[in-house]
Amino acid sequence: MAPAYKLTYFNGKGAAECIRFIFKYGGLEFEDFRINLEDWPQVKTKTPFGQLPLLEHDGKQINQSVCICRYLGKIVKIAGKDDWENVEIDAIVDTVNDFRLKIMTIYHEKDQERRKTQMETASKETVPFYLSRFDAIVKKNNGYLAVGRLTWADLYFASMIPCFDMFSGGDTFAKYPNLKALQNKINALPAIKKWIDQRPQTDY
Amino acid sequence: MAPAYKLTYFNGKGAAECIRFIFKYGGLEFEDFRINLEDWPQVKTKTPFGQLPLLEHDGKQINQSVCICRYLGKIVKIAGKDDWENVEIDAIVDTVNDFRLKIMTIYHEKDQERRKTQMETASKETVPFYLSRFDAIVKKNNGYLAVGRLTWADLYFASMIPCFDMFSGGDTFAKYPNLKALQNKINALPAIKKWIDQRPQTDY
């Protein structure tokens, strides 16, 4: 029987890797469908808003990676135990995503002069601003991003590290011991470790 | 007794109006705390990530407007009835927010030449791309953005209309009959109508 879930994305980690992490962590079967760039224009017309990732389940389609992660996080039981815990998880995830978007906007900037200035501001201001706060939050939260235990926020965050490292050109968390410990802890989870070892090798 | 919820934002609609709409719709008391711009530097240091809106409840703080709306949407019973309905609501809200951010990025662009080009692309491509899809979704969903009935996604969307109109310089939904009908329907809800009539008059 085909898996109940089909995930469509490009052949890369990007915005789909967080979804794959949660599938793998929870031991849920899914089809990891990776399209070739030459097929994208044709696939694009079938997506709700011209974007990937896309999750298909039971004849229905859902876009928006963070929303897909929240949905799966509940199913594999790494969500909050009540509404307040869930909003705490949701808020840190959206903040991690703000940080990711700020970085990616610079990465995609085509004007080289502007990009250079933005890179400087980012490494002097944006990156330390966010990472020092995330580090303090993890310290306060028993080694996790929210509610004092492992949630989908941690898997979301850990799945983005290759993207952060690509941007910083090195070990982004070297100066942030609590984030580094969280990274190591997530990467050592058996299902995640196995996935990282086996996943298709891609740059980002 | 002071209200259980305190919402802090600037004296404007912006990213806090969606939260106010849900409070008002649900008849939940809240303190609508609006700071003066000269107090912002000092308030900023007390926010988790230097941003507003901020919701305080029971000695705890939550940032991220969309997450606050989701949390309140559950409390006032305009959320989904199961996980799949919730992910459908979440995905359309994040897509509305993508659209809002694309528009606001252009609005805040300081390079006038670049801004002009981006405005042209937005009105020829981005705006019709999103609005035609939202319009079709509302048509298919019994006059609402998701799951065939009123949810917090509709209040979220309707609260953003002044921001869309400011950007388009007119009646953004004039060419989109289903969005226009949704706008009129939300604005006619007694609690929302009363709030729009009574709220502090601000440009955006």
Side-chain angles (χ1 to χ4, degrees):
Chain A
M1 213 176 77
Y5 292 99
K6 178 180 179 179
L7 174 67
T8 302
Y9 195 62
F10 306 100
N11 183 29
K13 294 185 268 294
E17 195 63 11
C18 50
I19 302 169
R20 298 188 189 112
F21 265 42
I22 300 176
F23 272 130
K24 290 294 174 181
Y25 174 82
L28 276 186
E29 291 281 320
F30 72 108
E31 184 185 354
D32 188 14
F33 188 67
R34 295 167 183 243
I35 64 161
N36 295 317
L37 274 183
E38 61 263 34
D39 296 330
W40 174 227
Q42 200 248 331
V43 172
K44 190 171 182 170
T45 62
K46 295 181 190 163
T47 65
F49 286 90
Q51 287 180 317
L52 296 177
L54 185 69
L55 183 72
E56 289 169 272
H57 176 61
D58 234 356
K60 291 175 287 193
Q61 291 186 323
I62 284 291
N63 64 326
Q64 294 292 353
S65 56
V66 169
C67 304
I68 295 170
C69 287
R70 181 180 304 111
Y71 167 79
L72 294 174
K74 280 182 206 159
I75 291 177
V76 311
K77 315 255 185 246
I78 45 173
K81 67 175 183 330
D82 55 33
D83 290 344
W84 190 266
E85 280 202 358
N86 279 321
V87 73
E88 208 178 309
I89 294 166
D90 287 355
I92 194 71
V93 168
D94 274 8
T95 306
V96 169
N97 203 31
D98 282 352
F99 175 58
R100 183 180 75 87
L101 288 176
K102 282 182 194 214
I103 280 179
M104 293 313 288
T105 304
I106 300 171
Y107 197 79
H108 292 303
E109 173 62 54
K110 288 191 183 82
D111 179 333
Q112 289 306 314
E113 195 60 29
R114 204 169 151 120
R115 188 171 192 264
K116 193 168 161 248
T117 315
Q118 288 177 343
M119 284 291 275
E120 280 167 16
T121 310
S123 48
K124 273 190 219 149
E125 295 170 22
T126 318
V127 172
F129 179 89
Y130 278 95
L131 295 190
S132 61
R133 279 161 181 78
F134 292 151
D135 198 67
I137 286 170
V138 168
K139 186 174 184 185
K140 201 181 68 181
N141 266 292
N142 192 32
Y144 297 97
L145 276 167
V147 307
R149 62 175 191 280
L150 179 80
T151 67
W152 64 274
D154 302 300
L155 295 179
Y156 184 87
F157 186 63
S159 76
M160 300 292 169
I161 295 170
C163 153
F164 300 155
D165 285 349
M166 178 185 68
F167 181 82
S168 68
D171 180 359
T172 312
F173 296 164
K175 283 188 273 175
Y176 303 95
N178 298 286
L179 296 182
K180 194 72 207 172
L182 176 60
Q183 174 180 3
N184 291 337
K185 191 159 49 185
I186 300 299
N187 288 350
L189 291 169
I192 300 298
K193 186 178 183 317
K194 189 174 166 194
W195 170 242
I196 291 174
D197 289 346
Q198 293 182 344
R199 69 185 170 188
Q201 295 301 309
T202 58
D203 287 340
Y204 47 86
Chain B
M1 213 176 79
Y5 293 99
K6 178 180 178 179
L7 174 66
T8 302
Y9 194 63
F10 306 100
N11 183 29
K13 294 184 269 291
E17 196 63 13
C18 49
I19 302 170
R20 300 189 188 111
F21 265 42
I22 300 176
F23 272 130
K24 290 295 175 182
Y25 174 82
L28 277 185
E29 290 282 318
F30 73 108
E31 184 185 353
D32 188 16
F33 189 66
R34 293 165 184 245
I35 65 161
N36 294 317
L37 274 182
E38 59 263 34
D39 296 330
W40 173 227
Q42 200 246 330
V43 173
K44 189 171 182 171
T45 60
K46 294 180 189 163
T47 65
F49 286 90
Q51 288 180 318
L52 296 177
L54 185 69
L55 184 72
E56 289 169 272
H57 176 60
D58 235 355
K60 292 175 285 193
Q61 291 186 321
I62 284 290
N63 65 327
Q64 293 292 353
S65 56
V66 169
C67 304
I68 295 170
C69 287
R70 182 180 304 112
Y71 167 78
L72 294 173
K74 279 182 208 160
I75 291 177
V76 310
K77 315 254 185 248
I78 45 172
K81 67 175 185 328
D82 56 32
D83 291 344
W84 189 266
E85 280 201 357
N86 279 321
V87 73
E88 209 178 308
I89 294 165
D90 288 356
I92 194 72
V93 169
D94 274 9
T95 306
V96 169
N97 204 30
D98 282 352
F99 174 58
R100 184 180 75 88
L101 288 176
K102 282 182 195 212
I103 280 178
M104 293 312 289
T105 304
I106 299 172
Y107 196 79
H108 292 304
E109 174 61 54
K110 288 191 184 82
D111 179 332
Q112 290 306 313
E113 194 62 29
R114 202 168 152 124
R115 189 171 191 264
K116 193 168 161 248
T117 315
Q118 288 177 342
M119 284 291 274
E120 281 167 16
T121 310
S123 48
K124 273 190 218 148
E125 294 171 23
T126 318
V127 173
F129 178 88
Y130 278 95
L131 295 189
S132 62
R133 280 162 180 77
F134 292 151
D135 199 68
I137 285 171
V138 168
K139 186 174 184 186
K140 199 182 68 182
N141 266 291
N142 192 32
Y144 297 97
L145 276 167
V147 308
R149 62 176 189 278
L150 178 79
T151 68
W152 64 273
D154 302 300
L155 295 179
Y156 183 87
F157 186 63
S159 76
M160 299 292 169
I161 295 171
C163 152
F164 300 156
D165 285 349
M166 179 185 68
F167 181 82
S168 68
D171 180 0
T172 312
F173 296 164
K175 282 189 274 173
Y176 303 95
N178 298 286
L179 296 182
K180 195 70 207 172
L182 176 60
Q183 174 181 2
N184 292 338
K185 190 161 49 186
I186 300 299
N187 288 351
L189 291 168
I192 299 299
K193 185 179 183 318
K194 189 174 166 194
W195 170 242
I196 291 175
D197 290 344
Q198 293 182 344
R199 68 184 171 190
Q201 295 301 307
T202 58
D203 287 342
Y204 47 85

